[in-house]
Amino acid sequence: MRLLLFFLAVSRLSGVASQKKNKKNPRPTNPPTSPPILQPTRTPTASPVTPTTSPTTSPVRPTTSPTPPPVTPTPPPVTPTPPSVTPTSPPVTPKPPPVTPTLPPVTPTPPPVMPTPPPVTPTPPPTPSPVQSSATWGIDRIDQRNLPLSNSYGVSGVGSGVVAYIIDTGIQTEHNEFKDESGSRNRARWGINTTGDGNNRDCNGHGTHVAGTVGGLVYGVAKDVELVAVKVLGCGGSGSYAGVIEGIEWVMNDAAAKGKPATANLSLGGGASQAVDTAVKNLHDSGVVTVVAAGNSDTDACRASPAREPAVITVGSTTNSDRRSSFSNYGTCVDIFAPGSSVTSAWIGSNTRTRTISGTSMASPHVCGGVALLLGNGVNAAGADDTILENATEGKVQNRGTSSTPDKLLYVGEVGPTNAPTPVPPTISPAPIARTPAPTTKKGRRSSTT
């Protein structure tokens, strides 16, 4: 099956430039001093007992008187028996209390030492880029909520460190639009060519124009993003779904190998193809935020692939008066609108050449560039698509084709995407009666089958 590019060529060529202290253990208490040792008590010396001398008696003369009573001899002197002396017991020394060996000082176990985390440096807000004057109308429109246009473009960040894969006709990588601000570094590189034509350059112009809107120095949304050419369409602007799928799979592998935040743009489409839908879904789910064009048939975008795939961001086109472009597809498969009519960007032929053309192919890269800004400002890939939709300006797109087409216009803001207000917590209602649910999607906007 062959793919047709989504752009309408427009005329006009132009040129552009504790430590905790350990508690000390109290000193051990000295045992009490022993009382003095008692000496044995001396036994008092008894006074010497001197025998009592019997009194001298007068000589006895016989008489005629009766015989006197016999004289009882005086008993020998009696030595008083000294009191018995009981030897004094040896002195009793009070037993000291049992001595407990002194324990070593007990150091309280400190809490486990956790490694000191490095100081947390607050993430600074993105630095606003210099305001660009004389900006092309497409980037001028997406940095403000309302008309009229200010003829300038100023946002926060430039998409540094982000890779944007342009799955298209290739990129003229040496074009001046793809230099860095100093002009010394080329931000575009060649990736792969799956067309089989062996011509590793953009020989059509469409891919270079798309790349210029995503990340051109003058005409781009994210002016420092890295751009990668993935050529899946030939010089005539068409190719096969097999080539498109091969290119998508290469992007998924390259992005995983490089490890940088990434987004991809597919400004192409054709008839419904489940294989293509699955390929872009897998790419998006791998972490490469994927943006696709809605198509230029002024019909329901749910009839085309990859526009109908719910996982990716599908983009419709508007004019500089905020009306849906007459060629833009519409319906519930469209997620957001962006400028797509009469958009100027880089072209092939020389390193300064530009061209002004129209199509949803031109609207889609505005959104891809907006995603690059978000990724460069720290929004993760899982939330980038929802953020880009939540930040969109509502109530501006006129003549949307059907009332079911979302009324959302891309907004990246003068100081970066505006945070959506915090939603009011939902009121808990009684559990509904169980029923078979309708098919739903990640963002709940449509079924992936038709």
Side-chain angles (χ1 to χ4, degrees):
M1 185 180 293
R2 312 296 291 180
L3 291 173
L4 296 182
L5 287 175
F6 288 152
F7 71 91
L8 300 179
V10 180
S11 61
R12 190 160 71 83
L13 298 175
S14 58
V16 190
S18 97
Q19 294 178 349
K20 295 186 178 180
K21 293 181 179 180
N22 295 332
K23 296 182 180 179
K24 293 183 178 179
N25 194 52
R27 295 182 180 177
T29 306
N30 291 327
T33 305
S34 302
I37 299 175
L38 299 180
Q39 299 296 325
T41 304
R42 294 178 183 269
T43 303
T45 305
S47 301
V49 179
T50 305
T52 303
T53 303
S54 301
T56 304
T57 58
S58 303
V60 180
R61 296 169 185 255
T63 64
T64 61
S65 57
T67 304
V71 177
T72 305
T74 303
V78 177
T79 304
T81 303
S84 62
V85 177
T86 303
T88 303
S89 302
V92 177
T93 304
K95 291 183 180 179
V99 178
T100 303
T102 304
L103 297 173
V106 177
T107 304
T109 303
V113 178
M114 301 300 293
T116 304
V120 177
T121 304
T123 302
T127 303
S129 304
V131 175
Q132 175 185 345
S133 60
S134 301
T136 186
W137 87 265
I139 61 176
D140 183 3
R141 182 65 188 92
I142 65 176
D143 75 339
Q144 59 188 68
R145 293 289 186 186
N146 304 304
L147 293 174
L149 298 175
S150 64
N151 198 35
S152 64
Y153 175 68
V155 294
S156 292
V158 289
S160 298
V162 180
V163 181
Y165 294 91
I166 311 302
I167 305 175
D168 212 289
T169 65
I171 302 174
Q172 184 171 311
T173 58
E174 66 273 15
H175 198 288
N176 290 347
E177 274 294 287
F178 309 131
K179 303 289 185 182
D180 65 1
E181 189 175 6
S182 70
S184 61
R185 178 175 60 91
N186 197 324
R187 295 180 291 110
R189 66 179 171 91
W190 193 263
I192 192 174
N193 179 358
T194 66
T195 66
D197 67 0
N199 191 352
N200 292 341
R201 65 185 181 90
D202 181 6
C203 48
N204 177 275
H206 187 269
T208 297
H209 194 282
V210 168
T213 300
V214 173
L217 193 58
V218 175
Y219 299 101
V221 177
K223 300 181 184 297
D224 197 41
V225 69
E226 178 185 345
L227 298 157
V228 182
V230 182
K231 183 174 179 177
V232 298
L233 305 176
C235 297
S238 63
S240 68
Y241 271 162
V244 171
I245 293 171
E246 184 182 353
I248 291 170
E249 291 174 346
W250 182 89
V251 170
M252 188 159 44
N253 293 328
D254 189 70
K258 297 299 186 293
K260 295 180 180 181
T263 180
N265 186 87
L266 291 91
S267 288
L268 50 79
S273 167
Q274 187 59 53
V276 171
D277 295 343
T278 299
V280 294
K281 179 182 186 301
N282 291 342
L283 179 60
H284 185 86
D285 290 350
S286 75
V288 179
V289 185
T290 305
V291 186
V292 306
N296 298 334
S297 302
D298 185 27
T299 189
D300 189 350
C302 294
R303 298 178 179 177
S305 290
R308 69 177 188 164
E309 170 52 46
V312 302
I313 305 173
T314 301
V315 187
S317 172
T318 59
T319 68
N320 59 5
S321 61
D322 290 351
R323 295 181 65 85
R324 179 182 66 89
S325 300
S326 60
F327 52 79
S328 177
N329 285 354
Y330 51 81
T332 58
C333 286
V334 173
D335 296 305
I336 193 170
F337 285 90
S341 291
S342 300
V343 174
T344 302
S345 185
W347 198 253
I348 61 172
S350 78
N351 292 340
T352 59
R353 195 174 181 187
T354 62
R355 179 169 288 186
T356 302
I357 57 179
S358 300
T360 56
S361 285
M362 285 62 254
S364 179
H366 282 88
V367 176
C368 184
V371 169
L373 291 179
L374 290 176
L375 296 175
N377 288 342
V379 176
N380 62 41
D385 53 349
D386 287 335
T387 301
I388 207 81
L389 299 180
E390 290 167 1
N391 290 346
T393 302
E394 297 186 352
K396 297 297 181 183
V397 182
Q398 305 171 53
N399 187 33
R400 300 193 309 278
T402 65
S403 59
S404 61
T405 304
D407 187 359
K408 291 179 177 289
L409 182 62
L410 177 64
Y411 176 74
V412 294
E414 189 171 355
V415 292
T418 304
N419 292 328
T422 302
V424 178
T427 302
I428 299 175
S429 57
I433 299 172
R435 63 191 70 189
T436 303
T440 58
T441 67
K442 183 177 117 181
K443 292 189 279 289
R445 62 182 189 263
R446 62 183 187 265
S447 170
S448 61
T449 58
T450 57

